[in-house]
Amino acid sequence: MQLKKKVAPKKKSQPKKKIQVKKMQETTFTGKVTKIRQKEPATVIEWPRSLTHIHTYGMLSPFFEGLRKGELRATLCPNKNCPEKRLWIPPRAHCPDCHTEMTWKPLANPVIGKIYTFTEVVYAGTGIELSTPYWQVDVEIPGLATIPKSYLLYGKPYIGMKVKAEFRTKTPSNTVLDYYWVPYEE
Ligand SMILES: [Zn+2]
């Protein structure tokens, strides 16, 4: 059985509509023009990238305010029933033991600590804006539950070495790098 092909009835040709092109603002390239570093054997471009990282210190803001003023501020749990009576640096917004909101307690200057351990940093991570190599030091501070990490500004560290906290108050970076340790001799 043969199927008859249906023949579509001829449409009347319609007059072509003119496409209206509204004159809109032209899209423009807003980036920096790349440099071509090499073309052979493959194209390699130099494409500068940068970004501004917006970051809040939130409830830990008083710590950084303290650094700008040349003081180390620790946090303390105000809950009388909490087993942890010691101070915290880096600060905690809430007590790690009982979750109570912490209170602030500045350490009296001079803050003298003792090097617990240390390491030489040759390749610093992103955001560590210090010249390398530098000495990263973990310093025991009396009364603290923690052994905070920082860096030794000069000198060669050894375990048990006494150090004194100093602050970058003149040109603060507003980061934790604004306090560091220097050798301390009694
Ligand atoms: Zn607590």
Side-chain angles (χ1 to χ4, degrees), residues 77 82 95 98:
C77 179
C82 180
C95 178
C98 73

Side-chain angles (χ1 to χ4, degrees), residues 77-79 81-84 95-100 102:
C77 179
N79 176 6
N81 300 320
C82 180
E84 184 56 75
C95 178
D97 293 79
C98 73
H99 313 297
T100 303
M102 298 286 242

